[in-house]
Amino acid sequence: MELRRDLLRISKPSRLRIILGIGFLILSGLWIIVRVYENRNIGLIGWGYSALFLLYGIIYTIEGYGVSFQGLFGKSFISIDQDAIRIKTGIFDKEQNIPWNDIRSIDYHPLSFQVTRFNKTGEMIKLSGIDYALIQEIKMVIGSIAKEKGVGISI
């Protein structure tokens, strides 16, 4: 049994997001064009509005095609298999990687697993920011693999 999830994956492309993104891009360009056409000074606030609309347009268009904008900057995933438990809950969080060969016991606490290694050191696997259904699936997979490997577990 194993579990692999990309936490940044967007489920499916969205036409509404694409339309909103293109709309924001057009609005960004039109804001500057109208100001230039009217011979009005484009101040700092005008450039700020235009940049903000441009940024929103890019983000909505990218995510409308099913690509996570945060995924361009890093990874966030869960990978639990027969070799190791690897969890990275956010793009700026550190990856937590614990091989099953090093695990003596696992205790579940709300939003975390306390892992005790054979060398008597402990490590906390944090699950903050992960939805409840996925946490239940993680508990089930870890429990199943732990029983196969003979690792003491209390869930």
Side-chain angles (χ1 to χ4, degrees):
M1 181 171 238
E2 68 180 41
L3 175 67
R4 295 187 194 281
R5 290 280 165 85
D6 180 4
L7 298 178
L8 298 177
R9 190 184 87 228
I10 295 177
S11 59
K12 61 182 178 176
S14 169
R15 283 189 192 169
L16 178 62
R17 283 188 180 206
I18 293 171
I19 291 169
L20 283 173
I22 292 171
F24 278 126
L25 290 171
I26 292 170
L27 195 57
S28 168
L30 284 177
W31 179 267
I32 300 298
I33 292 170
V34 167
R35 295 290 182 185
V36 169
Y37 182 73
E38 293 176 346
N39 291 327
R40 294 178 65 188
N41 187 14
I42 304 171
L44 184 61
I45 293 176
W47 285 110
Y49 278 136
S50 184
L52 187 65
F53 287 133
L54 180 68
L55 180 64
Y56 278 142
I58 291 169
I59 291 171
Y60 273 92
T61 305
I62 287 173
E63 289 189 348
Y65 284 107
V67 177
S68 171
F69 185 72
Q70 289 181 343
L72 299 175
F73 301 106
K75 294 180 180 181
S76 180
F77 60 87
I78 295 172
S79 175
I80 303 170
D81 56 19
Q82 298 294 329
D83 299 325
I85 300 172
R86 296 177 55 220
I87 296 178
K88 186 173 182 201
T89 56
I91 61 172
F92 298 115
D93 295 339
K94 183 181 174 189
E95 178 183 337
Q96 300 169 338
N97 185 2
I98 304 174
W100 281 104
N101 299 344
D102 294 348
I103 298 175
R104 171 179 277 178
S105 66
I106 300 174
D107 295 320
Y108 175 73
H109 301 287
L111 299 179
S112 67
F113 284 100
Q114 178 66 39
V115 176
T116 306
R117 294 178 182 248
F118 282 114
N119 61 4
K120 308 271 183 176
T121 60
E123 189 169 336
M124 185 80 68
I125 297 176
K126 297 177 184 173
L127 302 176
S128 59
I130 298 175
D131 63 297
Y132 180 75
L134 185 55
I135 289 175
Q136 297 305 313
E137 194 172 347
I138 291 169
K139 284 171 50 176
M140 184 182 70
V141 170
I142 286 179
S144 173
I145 294 175
K147 286 180 184 175
E148 288 177 20
K149 300 272 185 187
V151 173
I153 186 161
S154 69
I155 294 182

